[in-house]
Amino acid sequence: MKLKKLLEINAMCEEQQGGHKESIPWDVQESFDYDSNNLGLTDILEMDIVHFVRAFKLLNKKTIDYNLNAVRPSKVALNLIAGKLHIAVNELEEYINNE
């Protein structure tokens, strides 16, 4: 079942339960394209719920992987920092020994 239809059903159920009409929020009604490897650009409201969940999981994994890699410094940067720390330690030892 498509997300658009599920949102409509949800709005009808909310109306029946509470006695007042719950409209679908405007930002959810807006079209938003997902770039699928298999289907190309697809409006998420026209996606089947299973396809949407899979796409969401894939995007979430990419975001987590990106964030983990963005935070982690490269080996070159770590070696540079380690070298500078080693020089600083040597200079500090010389300073302490000369006093």
Side-chain angles (χ1 to χ4, degrees):
M1 186 175 293
K2 308 252 185 225
L3 284 179
K4 186 175 186 178
K5 190 66 174 174
L6 288 169
L7 290 170
E8 291 170 3
I9 292 169
N10 183 61
M12 288 188 300
C13 290
E14 294 291 330
E15 182 181 345
Q16 289 175 357
Q17 288 178 354
H20 61 286
K21 183 172 174 141
E22 291 287 331
S23 62
I24 302 170
W26 66 269
D27 59 335
V28 175
Q29 293 179 40
E30 287 181 336
S31 173
F32 180 79
D33 287 334
Y34 168 72
D35 193 5
S36 169
N37 291 337
N38 298 334
L39 303 174
L41 289 178
T42 304
D43 182 349
I44 62 168
L45 295 177
E46 297 300 324
M47 293 170 89
D48 181 78
I49 185 70
V50 173
H51 184 206
F52 176 80
V53 169
R54 287 179 178 154
F56 180 83
K57 288 173 69 175
L58 181 65
L59 285 174
N60 192 46
K61 182 182 179 334
K62 285 180 182 177
T63 301
I64 290 170
D65 289 346
Y66 173 79
N67 288 338
L68 288 175
N69 291 331
V71 173
R72 193 174 298 157
S74 70
K75 288 183 180 180
V76 172
L78 289 175
N79 285 333
L80 180 64
I81 292 168
K84 290 187 178 197
L85 284 173
H86 183 71
I87 291 169
V89 166
N90 288 340
E91 290 176 356
L92 186 58
E93 284 176 347
E94 281 181 33
Y95 177 77
I96 291 171
N97 291 335
N98 288 335
E99 283 193 2

